[in-house]
């Protein structure tokens, strides 16, 4: 099976369209949550995903858009965009988001929006936090999103007391059967990358070849920005798309 692995679309329809066009053929999408929030196209992104074979988790912004969590934990721009999203979601979109789980295990892969320890909230940004999380799942691989930074955390079988951070290779796939260890893999964000690269970020997992491949693709940022402007969304959220920060 060939899986398209995406996360943190954040209602950015132009970015999602570019990822789908770039990905080639796939059997199934695994989406790690945060379909909405920040961006101008929440219903359009949900509808597009629902047209395709997919499985999705819920993220903190999906919960916020449903009123399932307290917005005081959000910064003011995130809060404004979340309140806008609440008013914008159709009944069907709300029902769809409301049904999504926050974590799941499928075969060799555990998935959580944020972390296996705290599926909705924790940011796995460094090897110390990643190391603690390896005890919270039993499969060889865990897929997470939430940070908007594509990265791999690697724990070797020879030294399970330590965890290493690997920058995502863009020159070819990783062969998962050769790694002699376990990994927490983050495909980065489709709709709001924060690693200094504004291109949409995603990954391809091939469970026959047992390969994982990080990918980036440019998209029409100015279309998303124009749609955000037209909806009165916060200027800082519009500008940051240019920089991928
Ligand atoms: Zn997010």
């Amino acid at each position: 099976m060939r899986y398209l692995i995406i996360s943190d679309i954040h209602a950015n329809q132009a970015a999602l369209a570019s990822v789908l066009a770039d990905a080639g053929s796939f059997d199934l999408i695994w989406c790690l949550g945060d379909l909405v929030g920040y961006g101008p196209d929440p219903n359009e992104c949900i509808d597009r995903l629902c047209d395709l074979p997919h499985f999705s988790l819920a993220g903190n912004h999906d919960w916020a858009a449903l009123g399932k969590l307290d917005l005081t934990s959000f910064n003011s721009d995130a809060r404004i965009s979340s309140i806008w999203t609440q008013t914008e979601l159709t009944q069907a979109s709300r029902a769809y988001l409301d049904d999504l789980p926050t974590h799941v295990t499928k075969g060799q892969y555990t998935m959580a929006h944020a972390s296996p320890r705290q599926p909705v909230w924790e940011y796995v940004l460094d090897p110390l936090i990643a190391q603690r999380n390896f005890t919270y799942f039993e499969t060889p691989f865990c897929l997470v999103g939430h940070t908007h930074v594509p990265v791999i955390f690697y724990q070797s079988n020879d030294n399970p007391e330590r965890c290493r951070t690997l920058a995502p290779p863009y020159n070819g796939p990783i062969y998962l059967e050769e790694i002699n260890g376990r990994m927490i893999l983050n495909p980065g964000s489709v709709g709001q990358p924060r690693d200094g690269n504004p291109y949409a970020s995603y990954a391809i997992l091939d469970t026959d070849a047992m390969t994982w491949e990080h990918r980036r693709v440019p998209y029409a940022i100015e279309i998303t920005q124009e749609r955000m402007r037209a909806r009165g969304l916060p200027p800082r959220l519009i500008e940051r798309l240019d920089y991928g920060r």
Side-chain angles (χ1 to χ4, degrees), residues 133-155:
N133 268 283
F134 274 102
T135 56
Y136 285 82
F137 65 100
E138 292 177 356
T139 55
F141 307 104
C142 178
L143 314 184
V144 299
H146 192 47
T147 63
H148 300 204
V149 175
V151 69
I152 298 168
F153 294 104
Y154 171 61
Q155 189 188 60

Side-chain angles (χ1 to χ4, degrees), residues 1-3 26-28 30 205-210:
M1 291 270 281
R2 192 175 149 91
Y3 295 87
F26 53 82
D27 299 298
L28 191 62
W30 280 350
L205 169 67
D206 186 323
T207 55
D208 298 322
M210 283 304 282

